[in-house]
Amino acid sequence: MEPLILDDRIKGVPGGTAPFPASEVGARGWNVLREDLPLPLALLKDEALRHNSRWMQRFVEASGAHIAPHGKTTMSPELFQLGLDDGAWGITLATVGQVQAARHFGLKRVLMANELVGKQAIRYILDELARDEAFFFTCLVDSLDGVRILAEAARAHPIERPLTVLLEGGFADGRTGCRDRDGAIAIAEAVKAAEPHLALVGIEGYEGIIRLADPRQAEREVRTFLRYLIDIARECDKRDLFAPGLVILSAGGSIYYDYVVEEFSRAGLSREVEIVTRGGGYVSHDSGMYRTLFAEIVERSETARGLGRGLQPAIEIWAYVQSRPEPELAILTAGKRDISYDVDMPMPFRWYRPGESNALQEVGPGHEITDLNDQHAYLKLPQDSPLKVGDMVGCGISHPCTTFDKWRVMFVVNEDYDVVSAVTTYF
Amino acid sequence: MEPLILDDRIKGVPGGTAPFPASEVGARGWNVLREDLPLPLALLKDEALRHNSRWMQRFVEASGAHIAPHGKTTMSPELFQLGLDDGAWGITLATVGQVQAARHFGLKRVLMANELVGKQAIRYILDELARDEAFFFTCLVDSLDGVRILAEAARAHPIERPLTVLLEGGFADGRTGCRDRDGAIAIAEAVKAAEPHLALVGIEGYEGIIRLADPRQAEREVRTFLRYLIDIARECDKRDLFAPGLVILSAGGSIYYDYVVEEFSRAGLSREVEIVTRGGGYVSHDSGMYRTLFAEIVERSETARGLGRGLQPAIEIWAYVQSRPEPELAILTAGKRDISYDVDMPMPFRWYRPGESNALQEVGPGHEITDLNDQHAYLKLPQDSPLKVGDMVGCGISHPCTTFDKWRVMFVVNEDYDVVSAVTTYF
């Protein structure tokens, strides 16, 4: 795909910059602390990104599994390529709109971790499968209605090969996915009956929405769910409902992938199994939710501990202090348009006074962002905080997905905040 | 500006569509209910948009005021032009990044309702003022530090005319803005001392963050704050701190603009005054927060009532039912990536079964979206709800700003859901 042409309509690009390809940003010699770029700015840390991508690859390899990074997190061709270069199985996506974008990036292997529904969405997938025999695509089914809709579309629009699907299992009070084994088997039988238009190539579930205060209870519920998926897989295996070839077993968001690889490696099917986990947040990691959850993984997983240095926060938002209107309040030039706010408020951790010092300072205790408006952050601080109008403040975030989708370009910096490359996004 | 070229990397465009200019979308004959487009989809209602834009123009004209629609809501050249064609004073913006984009749209008159800070931001504005004498730009100051930074930059980069500013007043526990009159006057004096590089052209405040359960108390606080702004204006007038020409008095988000025009029209300055309100959400309006707040305005404002039919919700998100995994649960193909969730959950109100019926159905009682993930909505519903996999569900939203920023294109439809035009966004 042609790289995105950056111009100053795009947030983060200095006003007056003549259009140039994002891939050439490293040659411009921009440094963030020298104020070569306007704020707010979303930054990715080069070394941490690369480390995180390799870390996950090493984790799944050590576990006999694969990673299909969830592309919905970043929707970025550069980050998809980073994962693929490190050995990712393919890319996970959530919607056909995302598949459309990803096909422009040249992706050949897509696991759509969602039901495929809607006339245009199904038509497009069938067209792409017909047009490019190197394109592997699979999606989920969790209902007889869903199978019927796909089968009718595939029958009406015959292509040379089946539309492959994974049967999704779910749990009570969960999201999508069939809640009981008998129902699941009935769906698998319906897929079988729709051959050669459809083909069942595996079993899928998503355990990431299980969130419990008690980690032991969470573990029990996650393992119970994973065993339910295995149970469905064994029954499909026994009844010969899978299409010929490998069987895919897929689960695993960013929280419980250690349980996933452990349970799935004991599935014991008669067929060769490919275990595909689907974390998305690990490449940027964060300074909030995922940092906390990752600490728990390291604590409980020998494999994770064996890999040494763990995942590093690789995403930061920088903004100026634009006002300090009360002794204990500063207002920053970043808001809901720039940064995640769905899980935690941003966490200020570094600051810099342009022109006066070369040293990045740590943000002291008592500095806390308490609220965001569309374009403003409310930073409560001690009366004697050194921060004043014109200072730059760097913030960590919680939940990368909802920061990535607020930027069309994110600059990748080295430890000195030199811009070395660009990550573009297609939301 | 050249219209955006739509291709199927852009959410909402059917897969496989060859690139074409957004301005030509009306000629394609697309209809949403015929499933010519993939879902999720953000739609704007043509008639309601035009009505809302005219309504606000009529309101401010009847009040002796002006509207500078807040562009941060939509960041859309088409919607900026709609407001300007109806007679808007100019466009309000929140950041220099937004100004950069808006300059590509051809905007000549910008009120940046924010402090201007940061080397690149200030440099760009001075460059633009130097480059185009038809460009009017004004921004806020609320601190001596802020004035010093602007004055130093303007001195170092002399242009043929002053950088004009509005002095921002604020209130305790509020956002930006000087909290006391003496401090405000000191800032105004500092601007005067920085002539001819800076020029004070008015007084500004933002009352929209005053939210109280008791509307009477809210009214008192809003009016008290507006009178504080007038008090600053009178003192600046008396001390001759304003630059020659009109004096701008600006306040007014989407909640209290009736109080703003009423109070400001009594300012009684020695100079001619231009009252500029800055609502942004009225053009799309919504089905949640603004709908409720607008009902209060109509109740209390004779001017508003005198205009007849009020603001109409003009924004909808449509998604498919992709799963109905439990008797009282459906999962829709839209999530945090597609729709506002910072104030209220989306409100399903209409549904449609493709192919089976031409009639749009009202969503019955008991259907409620209770949660969103990145790409999914949880719709709780009665066991006997007719909704099934493949049905289309239309949702109203609350807080348009955080829906607009999730779409690069939003299709404008008529009452039959024919796509008649496109609204593009530049966040």
Side-chain angles (χ1 to χ4, degrees):
Chain A
M1 191 180 68
E2 296 289 306
L4 181 68
I5 301 299
L6 298 183
D7 66 33
D8 71 355
R9 289 176 299 185
I10 295 176
K11 188 167 63 165
V13 176
T17 303
F20 73 100
S23 54
E24 294 173 14
V25 74
R28 300 193 81 94
W30 282 340
N31 180 281
V32 175
L33 300 179
R34 203 169 51 219
E35 295 194 281
D36 293 336
L37 294 162
L39 306 186
L41 209 55
L43 300 178
L44 293 166
K45 308 297 287 285
D46 192 42
E47 195 277 331
L49 276 185
R50 293 174 191 285
H51 168 77
N52 293 345
S53 177
R54 281 193 305 266
W55 189 97
M56 183 57 85
Q57 190 63 39
R58 288 165 63 216
F59 179 88
V60 292
E61 285 175 8
S63 311
H66 300 270
I67 174 83
H70 208 317
K72 63 142 188 171
T73 299
T74 69
M75 281 308 293
S76 165
E78 296 86 2
L79 293 177
F80 290 6
Q81 198 57 50
L82 177 65
L84 293 169
D85 288 347
D86 281 332
W89 177 92
I91 299 290
T92 301
L93 293 166
T95 70
V96 169
Q98 293 174 356
V99 177
Q100 292 172 196
R103 290 291 288 159
H104 283 263
F105 310 164
L107 284 204
K108 292 294 185 193
R109 202 180 219 190
V110 171
L111 191 166
M112 186 171 117
N114 229 340
E115 280 63 30
L116 175 62
V117 63
K119 179 173 149 184
Q120 291 299 329
I122 300 169
R123 177 207 46 81
Y124 167 75
I125 293 297
L126 293 170
D127 280 349
E128 278 298 282
L129 289 169
R131 190 176 67 76
D132 177 6
E133 63 184 26
F135 177 40
F136 174 84
F137 172 89
T138 191
C139 62
L140 313 185
V141 289
D142 77 344
S143 70
L144 295 173
D145 277 342
V147 172
R148 179 183 50 74
I149 289 169
L150 292 184
E152 282 173 5
R155 251 179 231 119
H157 184 321
I159 56 176
E160 300 287 309
R161 52 181 170 148
L163 172 59
T164 73
V165 297
L166 306 173
L167 173 55
E168 182 172 42
F171 49 87
D173 297 324
R175 197 164 70 188
T176 47
C178 187
R179 298 325 198 221
D180 64 290
R181 199 185 75 157
D182 289 353
I185 300 304
I187 294 165
E189 302 269 14
V191 175
K192 179 88 174 177
E195 285 182 349
H197 303 292
L198 304 184
L200 184 66
V201 297
I203 306 295
E204 186 273 356
Y206 179 59
E207 78 300 329
I209 49 170
I210 297 174
R211 305 282 181 94
L212 297 165
D214 176 2
R216 291 278 154 217
Q217 199 190 335
E219 177 177 354
R220 273 193 302 274
E221 292 203 12
V222 168
R223 288 190 189 273
T224 300
F225 173 56
L226 295 168
R227 287 168 195 170
Y228 164 66
L229 298 178
I230 292 169
D231 192 30
I232 297 171
R234 287 178 181 153
E235 191 64 24
C236 290
D237 187 30
K238 205 172 90 182
R239 298 188 186 206
D240 200 26
L241 299 177
F242 288 120
L246 288 165
V247 171
I248 295 168
L249 295 183
S250 180
S254 297
I255 315 185
Y256 305 115
Y257 48 84
D258 54 328
Y259 299 145
V260 170
V261 296
E262 194 182 316
E263 293 291 338
F264 280 178
S265 64
R266 301 181 198 135
L269 304 193
S270 73
R271 301 283 198 71
E272 194 180 342
V273 162
E274 210 160 42
I275 300 171
V276 180
T277 66
R278 306 191 309 267
Y282 68 88
V283 64
S284 72
H285 202 52
D286 73 12
S287 307
M289 172 171 78
Y290 287 142
R291 180 179 215 160
T292 306
L293 294 164
F294 183 69
E296 293 174 14
I297 290 175
V298 168
E299 195 172 305
R300 70 191 183 225
S301 163
E302 205 174 324
T303 309
R305 279 197 306 280
L307 298 174
R309 178 169 168 251
L311 297 177
Q312 303 295 314
I315 185 167
E316 301 175 3
I317 303 289
W318 283 76
Y320 284 107
V321 177
Q322 68 177 110
S323 176
R324 205 175 152 183
E326 297 181 10
E328 299 187 350
L329 178 65
I331 304 293
L332 306 184
T333 59
K336 288 182 182 177
R337 254 55 187 287
D338 310 304
I339 197 160
S340 311
Y341 54 89
D342 53 326
V343 177
D344 300 296
M345 286 288 127
M347 288 140 269
F349 74 109
R350 274 182 164 179
W351 69 277
Y352 186 79
R353 179 161 300 155
E356 282 191 24
S357 154
N358 288 315
L360 280 168
Q361 311 279 323
E362 299 297 308
V363 167
H367 291 70
E368 188 190 356
I369 292 177
T370 56
D371 199 8
L372 297 176
N373 292 158
D374 283 353
Q375 315 281 168
H376 300 83
Y378 294 72
L379 175 59
K380 294 282 179 189
L381 37 67
Q383 285 207 19
D384 63 354
S385 167
L387 290 182
K388 65 178 193 180
V389 171
D391 288 345
M392 301 164 74
V393 179
C395 298
I397 64 125
S398 189
H399 195 196
C401 298
T402 47
T403 292
F404 272 99
D405 64 13
K406 294 172 174 59
W407 297 86
R408 298 190 188 192
V409 66
M410 297 168 78
F411 294 117
V412 181
V413 295
N414 65 18
E415 293 308 298
D416 296 327
Y417 288 89
D418 298 312
V419 175
V420 298
S421 63
V423 157
T424 57
T425 71
Y426 291 82
F427 288 98
Chain B
M1 191 179 70
E2 295 289 304
L4 182 68
I5 300 299
L6 298 183
D7 66 33
D8 70 356
R9 290 176 298 184
I10 296 176
K11 189 166 63 164
V13 176
T17 303
F20 73 100
S23 53
E24 294 173 12
V25 73
R28 300 192 80 94
W30 282 339
N31 180 281
V32 175
L33 301 179
R34 205 168 52 217
E35 294 193 283
D36 293 335
L37 295 162
L39 307 186
L41 210 54
L43 300 178
L44 293 166
K45 309 298 287 285
D46 192 43
E47 194 277 333
L49 277 184
R50 293 174 192 284
H51 167 76
N52 293 345
S53 177
R54 280 194 306 266
W55 189 96
M56 183 58 83
Q57 191 62 40
R58 289 166 63 216
F59 179 87
V60 292
E61 284 175 8
S63 311
H66 301 270
I67 175 83
H70 207 318
K72 64 140 188 173
T73 299
T74 69
M75 280 309 292
S76 165
E78 296 86 1
L79 293 178
F80 290 5
Q81 199 55 50
L82 176 65
L84 293 170
D85 288 347
D86 281 332
W89 176 93
I91 298 290
T92 301
L93 294 166
T95 71
V96 169
Q98 293 174 356
V99 177
Q100 292 172 194
R103 291 291 287 160
H104 284 263
F105 309 165
L107 284 205
K108 292 292 184 193
R109 203 181 219 190
V110 171
L111 191 166
M112 186 171 117
N114 229 339
E115 280 64 31
L116 174 62
V117 64
K119 179 172 149 184
Q120 291 300 329
I122 300 169
R123 176 204 51 77
Y124 167 75
I125 293 298
L126 293 172
D127 280 350
E128 279 297 282
L129 288 170
R131 191 176 67 76
D132 178 7
E133 63 183 24
F135 177 40
F136 174 84
F137 172 89
T138 191
C139 62
L140 312 185
V141 289
D142 77 344
S143 71
L144 294 173
D145 277 342
V147 172
R148 180 183 49 74
I149 289 169
L150 292 184
E152 282 173 6
R155 252 180 231 116
H157 184 323
I159 56 175
E160 298 288 307
R161 51 179 169 147
L163 173 59
T164 72
V165 297
L166 306 173
L167 172 55
E168 182 172 42
F171 49 87
D173 296 324
R175 197 165 68 188
T176 47
C178 187
R179 297 329 197 217
D180 64 290
R181 198 186 75 158
D182 289 354
I185 299 304
I187 294 165
E189 301 269 13
V191 175
K192 179 87 175 179
E195 286 182 349
H197 303 291
L198 304 184
L200 183 67
V201 298
I203 305 296
E204 186 273 356
Y206 179 60
E207 78 300 329
I209 50 171
I210 297 173
R211 305 282 182 96
L212 297 166
D214 176 2
R216 290 278 156 217
Q217 199 191 335
E219 177 176 353
R220 273 193 302 273
E221 292 203 11
V222 169
R223 289 189 189 272
T224 299
F225 173 57
L226 294 169
R227 287 168 194 169
Y228 164 65
L229 298 178
I230 292 169
D231 192 29
I232 297 171
R234 287 179 181 152
E235 191 64 23
C236 290
D237 187 30
K238 205 172 88 183
R239 297 188 186 208
D240 200 25
L241 298 176
F242 289 121
L246 288 166
V247 171
I248 296 169
L249 295 182
S250 180
S254 298
I255 315 183
Y256 305 116
Y257 47 84
D258 54 328
Y259 299 145
V260 170
V261 296
E262 194 183 316
E263 293 291 338
F264 281 178
S265 64
R266 302 181 197 133
L269 304 194
S270 74
R271 301 280 200 70
E272 194 181 341
V273 162
E274 209 160 43
I275 300 171
V276 180
T277 66
R278 307 191 307 267
Y282 67 88
V283 64
S284 71
H285 201 53
D286 74 13
S287 308
M289 172 171 76
Y290 286 143
R291 181 179 214 159
T292 306
L293 293 164
F294 183 69
E296 293 174 14
I297 290 174
V298 169
E299 195 172 304
R300 71 191 182 225
S301 163
E302 204 174 323
T303 309
R305 280 197 306 280
L307 298 174
R309 179 170 167 249
L311 297 177
Q312 303 295 314
I315 185 167
E316 301 175 4
I317 303 288
W318 283 77
Y320 284 107
V321 177
Q322 69 178 109
S323 178
R324 206 177 151 180
E326 297 181 10
E328 299 186 350
L329 177 66
I331 303 294
L332 307 185
T333 59
K336 288 181 183 178
R337 255 53 189 289
D338 310 305
I339 196 161
S340 312
Y341 54 90
D342 54 325
V343 176
D344 300 296
M345 285 288 128
M347 288 141 272
F349 74 108
R350 273 182 166 180
W351 69 278
Y352 186 79
R353 179 161 298 155
E356 280 193 22
S357 154
N358 288 314
L360 280 169
Q361 310 279 323
E362 298 298 307
V363 167
H367 291 69
E368 188 189 356
I369 291 177
T370 57
D371 199 10
L372 297 176
N373 292 160
D374 282 354
Q375 315 281 172
H376 300 84
Y378 294 72
L379 174 60
K380 295 282 178 189
L381 37 66
Q383 286 207 20
D384 62 355
S385 168
L387 289 181
K388 66 178 192 179
V389 172
D391 288 345
M392 302 165 75
V393 178
C395 298
I397 63 126
S398 188
H399 194 194
C401 298
T402 47
T403 292
F404 273 99
D405 64 13
K406 293 173 173 60
W407 297 86
R408 298 190 188 192
V409 65
M410 296 168 79
F411 295 117
V412 181
V413 297
N414 63 19
E415 293 308 299
D416 295 327
Y417 288 88
D418 298 312
V419 175
V420 297
S421 63
V423 157
T424 58
T425 71
Y426 291 81
F427 287 99

